[in-house]
Amino acid sequence: MSNAFKRELHLSGKVLIYAVEPHSAAIAHVLRMLKRDLTAVLGIEPEFAADPRQAQIRIGLAGENDSCPAHPEAFEFRFVSDEVSVLHIVGRDELGVVYGVLAFSRMFLGIQPFWYWMDQEIKSRSEISIPCVHYASSPRKVRYRGWFVNDEVCLIGWKPEYPPTREVWEPVFEALLRSGGNMVIPGTDLPRHGVHYELASEMGLWVTHHHAEPLGAEMFARAYPGREMSYLREPERYEQLWRQAIEEQRHRKVVWVLSFRGQGDKPFWEDDPSFDTPFKRGELIGQVMQKQYDMIREYVEDPVCCVALYGEIAELYQEGLISLPENTIRVWADNGYGKMVSRRRDDINLRVPSLPSAKDSGRHGLYVHVTFHDLQASNHLTMFAGSADFLKSELEGAFAVGASDYLILNSGNIRPHVYPLDIVSTLWNEGAIDTKQHLQSFVRSYYASEHEALARLYRSYAEATLPYGPHSDDLAGEQYYHHPARQIIGHWLQGKETESDHRLDWAVGAGSFEQQIQAFEERLAPAIGKWKSWLEQCDETLAKLGDDDRQRAKDHLRFHGELHLSGSEGFYQLCRSYAAHRLGQYPQAFVLASESLWHYRRGMDALRAAEHGKWADFYRADWLTNIASTVQNVDTLRKVLRMHGDSPDFFLWYKQYLMPETEKHIYLENTHREPLTDDDLAARLKERLLSDAQD
């Protein structure tokens, strides 16, 4: 290498950039990001030069015979030096340019992939020094890789506009691009006039579809309300919807999803019971997918197609009853908890391996969750309950058997899931991960101090989670404390106490209702201690952090621990309330239900505390875990319990337990008109009836 290339490029003040024209919408987007990043670091807005000879940074596509690496999405940094060194960012294709610019921003400006979602503190500098060393990108491990922005109620409810606008979607797609992603399912069943698909394509991403919406077509039941939902009887109408979807998307980069499920993401034979054997079902699904593929081929040369081996389609495929069009990527799904086995359905948990076997040729990919919503034990508001090493083992194992052509990751609402999203992006880029080294890098990227202590908290988070079953992935997210609790309250208040609640069998078995509640109580008790200990360690670390880092650690660490602790304590006291109720101890049951309520309210407080600054109202649409609903359910319960002995005047418990003996027999009714509120009565009864220290 000549001496010219041993220099450094120094950027300061107003940086001049030249971008080769014409450039696409995606390149225009990334140039705006670069302009913003340079302004944030150097304090002066850069300019785009009309003459490339004036520029310090030149950006453009590689020529046909260029030495830029030949793999898709490749980029290269080159340095040309006369008297002054100039950086050339060269991309093999559109996304190559995008990734090259974003790599420059990360490597030399310090802008991290999740800078927006982590509220990264951008360090200002007077000068940036860049070693003049050529750099060429390597191919990514996974060819098509990205996020399914699913169950995205926080993103939907964050701003008043619906469907979400560019203001919401741009930071999502930017973080995905900065993480090396190139594909997205932008939301779940959003109105078709929304900007989400258009913007994703505009920013350079491949778009793909939910497995319940083949080809991204409008659902039959919505397009033809009242019509019989049968492909056998209405093939023209189904095919009209598919053709319309193909025509709308033919000029975009699309990974086409071939599928045939019933309306509302269920087996189609629930709407068409004439398909009463596995053979009939598999035969029709195979015929429909071939028809969809043939239709795409009318408009698109060499289309990229995939099929989600999910639910009943996976079962029929593994039984050899579905034939797929040539070169279709087979996408294997985890169970919602990161484990590559079949999903639990109610209390049926067969855990059939969900990976290609040695006999499965062709192309294979993955559908993986770091957040899930299943009305059982999933994590929607809180971080993935499993460890980084668990994710490493599952994904590296899947890559080893050939499932590396495609990876769609359920990303939820982004903000609560940054750390696991970053882990998976490392895996889809590099194919492997050193979890210890990655964690060290992660905390140093987003926090200014106390790196070792913060790393311990991220690492020990998984160790604190509640194991509710025998498998390594049977770890409770925050929904475990809410959906079963509300089911218990409903079953209880509907007077069904003599019946087992079979909706709870998946978690505690099929004993009596009383035994089911006792089993939950026994699981919850040790979890409370673990989460208290974890939060104590968290608070010790927070006390040593600067203001910005402290807020960041509250939002991305303490927030999660508080939802776990408040949820586990609330559920535990609910179980104890039922036990007191069974013994006819209604005042005690009322107090314990009130304690449950107070703990659950802390979860609401945690949501509100995380809604500062630009995050105002971010969690107001908590409609899935729905902590507010749990609070309302428990409040209803304690009002009913108060009727058992304190009704109708709601003064009897005060008189029996709290009124001084000297007053009980001489007070006048007209001087005691205002009963105590539920909270006041419960707080005072607690001192009298439950004086022992509460866990």
Side-chain angles (χ1 to χ4, degrees):
M1 184 177 294
S2 69
N3 290 335
F5 297 113
K6 294 180 181 178
R7 292 181 173 184
E8 288 187 336
L9 170 62
H10 298 283
L11 301 178
S12 62
K14 185 178 291 185
V15 176
L16 294 177
I17 303 167
Y18 178 78
V20 178
E21 296 278 2
H23 49 250
S24 67
I27 294 175
H29 268 284
V30 83
L31 291 175
R32 285 193 288 272
M33 295 179 209
L34 176 61
K35 187 176 182 180
R36 183 191 62 213
D37 294 351
L38 282 165
T39 303
V41 174
L42 292 175
I44 299 175
E45 191 173 287
E47 283 189 2
F48 289 94
D51 185 344
R53 292 171 296 181
Q54 299 174 335
Q56 297 154 287
I57 302 174
R58 300 177 193 172
I59 300 168
L61 289 163
E64 190 171 321
N65 299 314
D66 201 288
S67 62
C68 180
H71 60 267
E73 305 167 356
F75 66 88
E76 190 172 41
F77 296 161
R78 302 175 188 157
F79 293 87
V80 178
S81 180
D82 295 322
E83 292 183 2
V84 179
S85 295
V86 176
L87 168 61
H88 289 243
I89 302 176
V90 180
R92 171 56 60 189
D93 49 29
E94 175 186 76
L95 272 178
V97 174
V98 170
Y99 291 142
V101 171
L102 296 179
F104 167 84
S105 187
R106 183 175 189 176
M107 292 164 66
F108 303 119
L109 305 183
I111 311 297
Q112 300 301 321
F114 294 96
W115 70 269
Y116 179 90
W117 301 94
M118 290 288 290
D119 295 303
Q120 181 191 352
E121 187 178 1
I122 308 299
K123 294 181 180 178
S124 60
R125 287 180 271 170
S126 59
E127 182 179 84
I128 301 163
S129 297
I130 302 172
C132 293
V133 178
H134 288 324
Y135 175 85
S137 66
S138 300
R140 317 267 179 174
K141 175 64 178 179
V142 179
R143 176 63 183 95
Y144 302 102
R145 55 201 180 272
W147 294 342
F148 179 10
V149 188
N150 187 27
D151 299 325
E152 69 281 15
V153 290
C154 296
L155 299 178
I156 288 172
W158 185 11
K159 307 295 180 182
E161 298 84 5
Y162 179 80
T165 63
R166 287 174 177 259
E167 178 188 11
V168 172
W169 285 116
E170 280 194 8
V172 174
F173 300 152
E174 179 181 334
L176 175 55
L177 287 165
R178 287 182 184 270
S179 299
N182 65 359
M183 175 180 67
V184 70
I185 305 175
T188 313
D189 194 31
L190 292 172
R192 301 183 73 78
H193 66 270
V195 73
H196 43 295
Y197 271 104
E198 175 189 344
L199 180 60
S201 295
E202 190 180 293
M203 292 180 71
L205 292 163
W206 292 74
V207 294
T208 188
H209 318 112
H210 190 290
H211 58 259
E213 301 172 304
L215 313 187
E218 186 173 8
M219 289 194 181
F220 183 93
R222 186 170 286 134
Y224 302 111
R227 303 291 304 190
E228 185 178 6
M229 292 178 288
S230 168
Y231 177 74
L232 210 59
R233 295 172 181 80
E234 300 275 10
E236 296 86 1
R237 286 190 165 87
Y238 275 94
E239 290 167 18
Q240 180 182 352
L241 294 175
W242 299 337
R243 189 171 297 278
Q244 180 181 347
I246 296 167
E247 290 175 346
E248 288 174 355
Q249 300 171 85
R250 60 185 296 191
H251 298 300
R252 294 176 180 167
K253 294 186 297 188
V254 179
V255 179
W256 301 92
V257 172
L258 311 177
S259 185
F260 189 61
R261 301 199 77 206
Q263 304 298 291
D265 198 13
K266 62 186 179 183
F268 75 87
W269 52 85
E270 291 186 18
D271 300 319
D272 194 344
S274 63
F275 289 86
D276 53 3
T277 69
F279 177 81
K280 291 180 184 178
R281 296 163 180 174
E283 183 180 42
L284 181 65
I285 291 172
Q287 290 172 354
V288 167
M289 288 183 182
Q290 186 64 51
K291 179 64 177 179
Q292 292 169 348
Y293 180 75
D294 292 341
M295 291 175 70
I296 298 167
R297 287 289 300 270
E298 295 176 27
Y299 296 87
V300 181
E301 186 178 356
D302 297 324
V304 181
C305 297
C306 69
V307 58
L309 300 180
Y310 191 75
E312 73 283 353
I313 291 180
E315 294 169 6
L316 293 168
Y317 173 79
Q318 289 177 314
E319 291 170 12
L321 298 175
I322 295 179
S323 59
L324 300 177
E326 185 180 0
N327 213 29
T328 301
I329 302 171
R330 296 141 175 85
V331 181
W332 301 82
D334 72 0
N335 64 347
Y337 295 82
K339 188 70 177 174
M340 297 308 302
V341 296
S342 59
R343 180 181 171 181
R344 179 174 60 233
R345 298 180 186 176
D346 298 319
D347 62 331
I348 299 171
N349 194 12
L350 301 178
R351 297 180 68 85
V352 176
S354 182
L355 282 174
S357 65
K359 64 177 180 168
D360 287 310
S361 58
R363 304 164 73 191
H364 297 273
L366 304 171
Y367 172 30
V368 180
H369 297 74
V370 294
T371 173
F372 193 39
H373 168 60
D374 70 346
L375 307 179
Q376 291 186 338
S378 47
N379 67 302
H380 178 253
L381 298 174
T382 56
M383 259 197 303
F384 183 68
S387 68
D389 286 329
F390 172 78
L391 285 173
K392 167 187 170 72
S393 174
E394 289 300 304
L395 293 186
E396 289 183 4
F399 295 159
V401 295
S404 60
D405 286 287
Y406 172 110
L407 196 163
I408 196 79
L409 176 66
N410 196 309
S411 63
N413 297 288
I414 316 301
R415 189 185 178 208
H417 312 295
V418 169
Y419 175 51
L421 290 176
D422 202 58
I423 291 170
V424 176
S425 72
T426 300
L427 283 158
W428 74 33
N429 287 323
E430 301 176 15
I433 188 171
D434 180 324
T435 56
K436 183 176 181 181
Q437 186 179 69
H438 172 269
L439 180 53
Q440 291 293 332
S441 175
F442 180 85
V443 296
R444 289 180 184 278
S445 295
Y446 295 107
Y447 298 91
S449 65
E450 298 299 321
H451 299 135
E452 290 300 324
L454 288 163
R456 281 195 298 273
L457 289 169
Y458 276 102
R459 190 163 46 247
S460 59
Y461 173 85
E463 297 167 8
T465 53
L466 184 158
Y468 63 83
H471 307 290
S472 61
D473 51 300
D474 290 341
L475 299 174
E478 88 287 340
Q479 292 196 344
Y480 181 86
Y481 317 121
H482 294 274
H483 290 286
R486 295 199 295 265
Q487 288 171 338
I488 285 170
I489 292 169
H491 199 79
W492 178 356
L493 295 186
Q494 290 168 34
K496 298 179 179 178
E497 295 177 64
T498 58
E499 308 169 18
S500 177
D501 188 342
H502 294 296
R503 297 172 301 174
L504 305 175
D505 289 356
W506 65 270
V508 289
S512 69
F513 186 54
E514 183 177 13
Q515 289 170 333
Q516 289 179 311
I517 294 177
Q518 185 177 359
F520 274 115
E521 182 179 338
E522 291 169 355
R523 287 162 173 75
L524 290 159
I528 292 170
K530 287 199 292 184
W531 282 116
K532 280 184 175 179
S533 175
W534 188 88
L535 279 170
E536 287 171 3
Q537 296 170 46
C538 191
D539 288 338
E540 289 174 6
T541 301
L542 261 63
K544 300 173 185 176
L545 297 173
D547 290 345
D548 288 338
D549 273 354
R550 185 181 305 115
Q551 186 62 64
R552 199 165 8 262
K554 284 181 179 178
D555 292 343
H556 294 278
L557 282 167
R558 199 185 197 288
F559 170 85
H560 302 273
E562 180 59 23
L563 289 188
H564 278 284
L565 179 61
S566 60
S568 56
E569 288 183 314
F571 197 1
Y572 176 72
Q573 297 295 8
L574 173 66
C575 295
R576 296 186 70 213
S577 176
Y578 181 78
H581 157 80
R582 288 283 295 176
L583 296 172
Q585 298 173 346
Y586 297 114
Q588 290 86 342
F590 167 77
V591 172
L592 289 165
S594 297
E595 289 226 77
S596 172
L597 177 68
W598 298 333
H599 289 304
Y600 279 126
R601 279 179 181 165
R602 293 204 333 268
M604 295 291 296
D605 293 341
L607 298 186
R608 302 290 80 83
E611 295 177 318
H612 51 84
K614 72 187 183 191
W615 303 113
D617 298 325
F618 187 77
Y619 291 108
R620 69 173 166 182
D622 169 31
W623 302 322
L624 300 185
T625 297
N626 210 334
I627 299 175
S629 178
T630 308
V631 168
Q632 293 161 6
N633 273 249
V634 179
D635 196 27
T636 298
L637 171 67
R638 72 169 180 170
K639 290 182 185 302
V640 171
L641 288 170
R642 191 170 177 181
M643 292 179 182
H644 288 69
D646 205 31
S647 174
D649 299 318
F650 298 97
F651 185 67
L652 297 176
W653 285 348
Y654 174 80
K655 178 181 177 182
Q656 180 178 356
Y657 296 106
L658 302 174
M659 180 178 282
E661 286 295 326
T662 55
E663 299 295 317
K664 283 185 179 181
H665 305 291
I666 61 173
Y667 78 97
L668 300 176
E669 292 280 357
N670 63 351
T671 64
H672 294 80
R673 293 180 180 273
E674 184 176 5
L676 293 175
T677 66
D678 290 338
D679 279 340
D680 287 342
L681 178 62
R684 295 179 66 176
L685 283 177
K686 177 184 175 181
E687 294 179 11
R688 178 66 184 273
L689 300 178
L690 302 176
S691 57
D692 293 339
Q694 299 296 310
D695 292 334

Coordinates of all heavy atoms in Angstrom, one line a residue, residues 573-614:
Q573 N -51.0 -12.3 45.4 CA -52.0 -11.8 46.4 C -53.4 -12.1 46.0 O -54.3 -12.4 46.8 CB -51.8 -10.3 46.7 CG -50.5 -9.9 47.3 CD -50.2 -10.5 48.7 OE1 -51.0 -11.3 49.2 NE2 -49.1 -10.0 49.3
L574 N -53.6 -12.2 44.7 CA -54.9 -12.6 44.2 C -55.2 -14.1 44.6 O -56.3 -14.4 45.0 CB -55.0 -12.5 42.6 CG -56.2 -13.0 41.9 CD1 -57.5 -12.3 42.3 CD2 -56.0 -13.0 40.4
C575 N -54.2 -14.9 44.4 CA -54.3 -16.3 44.8 C -54.6 -16.4 46.3 O -55.4 -17.2 46.7 CB -53.1 -17.1 44.4 SG -52.7 -17.2 42.7
R576 N -53.9 -15.6 47.1 CA -54.1 -15.7 48.6 C -55.5 -15.2 48.9 O -56.1 -15.6 49.9 CB -53.1 -14.8 49.3 CG -51.6 -15.3 49.1 CD -50.7 -14.6 49.9 NE -50.9 -14.8 51.4 CZ -50.7 -13.9 52.3 NH1 -50.3 -12.7 52.0 NH2 -50.9 -14.3 53.6
S577 N -56.0 -14.2 48.2 CA -57.3 -13.7 48.4 C -58.4 -14.8 48.2 O -59.3 -14.9 49.0 CB -57.6 -12.5 47.4 OG -59.0 -12.1 47.6
Y578 N -58.2 -15.6 47.1 CA -59.1 -16.7 46.9 C -59.1 -17.7 48.0 O -60.1 -18.2 48.5 CB -58.8 -17.4 45.6 CG -59.8 -18.5 45.3 CD1 -61.0 -18.2 44.8 CD2 -59.4 -19.8 45.5 CE1 -62.0 -19.2 44.6 CE2 -60.3 -20.9 45.3 CZ -61.6 -20.6 44.8 OH -62.5 -21.6 44.6
A579 N -57.9 -18.0 48.5 CA -57.8 -18.9 49.7 C -58.5 -18.4 50.9 O -59.2 -19.2 51.6 CB -56.3 -19.2 50.0
A580 N -58.4 -17.1 51.2 CA -59.2 -16.5 52.3 C -60.7 -16.6 52.0 O -61.5 -16.9 53.0 CB -58.7 -15.1 52.6
H581 N -61.1 -16.3 50.8 CA -62.5 -16.4 50.5 C -63.0 -17.8 50.7 O -64.2 -18.0 51.2 CB -62.6 -15.9 49.0 CG -63.8 -16.4 48.3 ND1 -65.1 -15.9 48.4 CD2 -64.0 -17.5 47.5 CE1 -65.9 -16.5 47.7 NE2 -65.3 -17.5 47.1
R582 N -62.3 -18.8 50.3 CA -62.7 -20.2 50.5 C -63.0 -20.5 51.9 O -63.8 -21.4 52.3 CB -61.7 -21.1 49.9 CG -61.6 -21.2 48.4 CD -62.7 -21.9 47.7 NE -62.6 -23.4 48.1 CZ -63.5 -24.2 47.7 NH1 -64.6 -23.8 47.0 NH2 -63.4 -25.5 48.0
L583 N -62.2 -19.9 52.8 CA -62.4 -20.1 54.3 C -63.5 -19.2 54.9 O -63.7 -19.2 56.1 CB -61.0 -19.9 55.0 CG -59.9 -20.8 54.6 CD1 -58.6 -20.4 55.2 CD2 -60.2 -22.2 55.0
G584 N -64.1 -18.4 54.0 CA -65.1 -17.5 54.5 C -64.6 -16.3 55.2 O -65.3 -15.6 55.9
Q585 N -63.3 -16.0 55.1 CA -62.6 -14.9 55.7 C -62.7 -13.7 54.7 O -61.7 -13.3 54.1 CB -61.2 -15.2 56.0 CG -61.0 -16.4 57.0 CD -59.6 -16.8 57.2 OE1 -58.7 -16.4 56.4 NE2 -59.3 -17.6 58.2
Y586 N -63.9 -13.1 54.7 CA -64.1 -12.1 53.6 C -63.4 -10.8 53.9 O -62.9 -10.2 52.9 CB -65.6 -11.9 53.5 CG -66.4 -13.1 53.0 CD1 -67.3 -13.8 53.9 CD2 -66.1 -13.6 51.8 CE1 -67.9 -14.9 53.4 CE2 -66.7 -14.8 51.4 CZ -67.6 -15.4 52.2 OH -68.2 -16.6 51.8
P587 N -63.3 -10.3 55.1 CA -62.5 -9.1 55.3 C -61.0 -9.3 54.8 O -60.4 -8.4 54.2 CB -62.6 -8.8 56.8 CG -63.8 -9.5 57.2 CD -63.9 -10.7 56.4
Q588 N -60.4 -10.5 55.2 CA -59.1 -10.8 54.8 C -59.0 -10.9 53.3 O -58.0 -10.4 52.7 CB -58.6 -12.1 55.5 CG -58.4 -11.9 57.0 CD -59.6 -12.2 57.8 OE1 -60.7 -12.1 57.3 NE2 -59.5 -12.4 59.1
A589 N -60.0 -11.6 52.7 CA -59.9 -11.7 51.2 C -60.0 -10.3 50.6 O -59.3 -10.1 49.5 CB -61.1 -12.6 50.8
F590 N -60.8 -9.4 51.1 CA -60.9 -8.1 50.6 C -59.6 -7.3 50.7 O -59.2 -6.7 49.7 CB -62.0 -7.3 51.4 CG -62.0 -5.8 51.2 CD1 -62.6 -5.3 50.0 CD2 -61.5 -5.0 52.1 CE1 -62.6 -3.9 49.8 CE2 -61.5 -3.6 51.9 CZ -62.0 -3.1 50.8
V591 N -58.9 -7.5 51.8 CA -57.6 -6.8 52.0 C -56.6 -7.4 51.0 O -55.8 -6.6 50.4 CB -57.1 -7.0 53.4 CG1 -55.7 -6.4 53.6 CG2 -58.0 -6.2 54.4
L592 N -56.6 -8.7 50.9 CA -55.6 -9.3 50.0 C -55.9 -8.9 48.5 O -54.9 -8.7 47.7 CB -55.6 -10.8 50.1 CG -55.0 -11.3 51.5 CD1 -55.4 -12.7 51.8 CD2 -53.5 -11.1 51.5
A593 N -57.2 -8.9 48.1 CA -57.5 -8.4 46.8 C -57.0 -7.0 46.6 O -56.6 -6.6 45.5 CB -59.0 -8.5 46.5
S594 N -57.2 -6.2 47.6 CA -56.7 -4.8 47.5 C -55.2 -4.7 47.4 O -54.6 -3.9 46.6 CB -57.1 -4.0 48.8 OG -58.5 -3.9 48.9
E595 N -54.5 -5.6 48.1 CA -53.0 -5.6 47.9 C -52.7 -6.0 46.5 O -51.7 -5.5 45.9 CB -52.4 -6.6 48.9 CG -52.4 -6.2 50.4 CD -51.1 -6.4 51.0 OE1 -50.2 -5.7 50.8 OE2 -51.0 -7.4 51.8
S596 N -53.4 -7.0 46.0 CA -53.2 -7.4 44.6 C -53.4 -6.2 43.7 O -52.5 -5.9 42.8 CB -54.2 -8.5 44.2 OG -54.2 -8.8 42.8
L597 N -54.4 -5.4 43.9 CA -54.7 -4.3 43.1 C -53.6 -3.3 43.2 O -53.1 -2.7 42.2 CB -56.0 -3.6 43.6 CG -56.4 -2.3 42.9 CD1 -56.8 -2.6 41.4 CD2 -57.6 -1.7 43.6
W598 N -53.1 -3.0 44.4 CA -52.0 -2.0 44.6 C -50.7 -2.4 43.8 O -50.1 -1.6 43.2 CB -51.7 -1.8 46.0 CG -52.9 -1.3 46.8 CD1 -54.0 -0.5 46.3 CD2 -53.2 -1.5 48.2 NE1 -54.9 -0.2 47.3 CE2 -54.4 -0.8 48.5 CE3 -52.6 -2.2 49.2 CZ2 -55.0 -0.8 49.7 CZ3 -53.2 -2.2 50.5 CH2 -54.4 -1.5 50.8
H599 N -50.4 -3.7 43.8 CA -49.3 -4.2 43.1 C -49.5 -4.0 41.6 O -48.6 -3.5 40.9 CB -49.0 -5.6 43.4 CG -48.5 -5.9 44.8 ND1 -47.3 -5.2 45.3 CD2 -48.9 -6.7 45.8 CE1 -47.1 -5.6 46.5 NE2 -48.1 -6.5 46.9
Y600 N -50.6 -4.4 41.1 CA -50.9 -4.3 39.7 C -50.8 -2.8 39.2 O -50.4 -2.5 38.1 CB -52.2 -4.9 39.3 CG -52.2 -6.4 39.1 CD1 -53.1 -7.2 39.8 CD2 -51.3 -7.0 38.2 CE1 -53.1 -8.6 39.6 CE2 -51.3 -8.4 38.0 CZ -52.2 -9.2 38.8 OH -52.2 -10.5 38.6
R601 N -51.3 -1.9 40.1 CA -51.2 -0.5 39.8 C -49.8 0.0 39.6 O -49.6 0.9 38.8 CB -51.9 0.3 40.9 CG -53.4 0.4 40.8 CD -53.9 1.2 42.0 NE -55.4 1.3 42.1 CZ -56.0 1.7 43.1 NH1 -55.4 2.0 44.3 NH2 -57.4 1.8 43.1
R602 N -48.9 -0.6 40.3 CA -47.5 -0.3 40.1 C -47.0 -0.5 38.6 O -46.2 0.2 38.1 CB -46.5 -1.0 41.0 CG -46.7 -0.6 42.5 CD -45.5 -0.8 43.3 NE -44.6 -1.9 42.9 CZ -44.7 -3.2 43.2 NH1 -45.6 -3.6 44.1 NH2 -43.8 -4.1 42.8
G603 N -47.6 -1.6 38.0 CA -47.3 -1.8 36.6 C -47.8 -0.7 35.7 O -47.1 -0.2 34.8
M604 N -49.0 -0.1 36.0 CA -49.5 1.0 35.3 C -48.6 2.2 35.5 O -48.3 3.0 34.6 CB -50.9 1.4 35.8 CG -52.0 0.4 35.5 SD -52.3 0.3 33.7 CE -53.0 1.9 33.4
D605 N -48.1 2.4 36.8 CA -47.2 3.5 37.0 C -45.9 3.4 36.2 O -45.3 4.3 35.8 CB -46.8 3.5 38.5 CG -48.0 3.9 39.4 OD1 -49.0 4.5 38.9 OD2 -48.0 3.6 40.6
A606 N -45.4 2.1 36.1 CA -44.2 1.9 35.3 C -44.4 2.3 33.8 O -43.5 2.9 33.2 CB -43.8 0.4 35.4
L607 N -45.6 2.0 33.3 CA -45.9 2.4 31.9 C -45.8 3.9 31.8 O -45.2 4.5 30.9 CB -47.2 1.9 31.4 CG -47.4 0.4 31.4 CD1 -48.8 0.0 30.8 CD2 -46.4 -0.3 30.6
R608 N -46.5 4.6 32.7 CA -46.6 6.0 32.6 C -45.2 6.7 32.8 O -44.8 7.7 32.2 CB -47.5 6.6 33.7 CG -48.9 6.1 33.6 CD -49.7 6.6 32.4 NE -49.4 5.9 31.1 CZ -50.0 4.7 30.8 NH1 -50.9 4.2 31.6 NH2 -49.7 4.2 29.6
A609 N -44.4 6.1 33.7 CA -43.0 6.7 34.0 C -42.1 6.6 32.7 O -41.2 7.3 32.6 CB -42.4 6.0 35.2
A610 N -42.4 5.6 31.9 CA -41.6 5.4 30.7 C -42.0 6.2 29.5 O -41.4 6.2 28.4 CB -41.6 3.9 30.3
E611 N -43.0 7.1 29.7 CA -43.6 7.9 28.6 C -43.1 9.3 28.7 O -44.0 10.3 28.7 CB -45.1 7.8 28.7 CG -45.6 6.4 28.4 CD -47.1 6.3 28.4 OE1 -47.7 6.9 29.4 OE2 -47.7 5.6 27.6
H612 N -41.9 9.5 28.8 CA -41.3 10.9 29.0 C -40.8 11.4 27.6 O -40.5 10.6 26.7 CB -40.1 10.9 29.9 CG -39.1 9.8 29.6 ND1 -38.1 10.0 28.7 CD2 -39.0 8.5 30.0 CE1 -37.4 8.9 28.5 NE2 -37.9 8.0 29.4
G613 N -40.8 12.7 27.5 CA -40.3 13.3 26.3 C -41.0 12.8 25.0 O -42.2 12.8 24.9
K614 N -40.2 12.4 24.0 CA -40.8 12.0 22.7 C -41.6 10.7 22.9 O -42.4 10.3 22.0 CB -39.7 11.7 21.7 CG -38.8 10.5 21.9 CD -37.7 10.4 21.0 CE -36.9 9.1 21.1 NZ -35.6 9.1 20.4

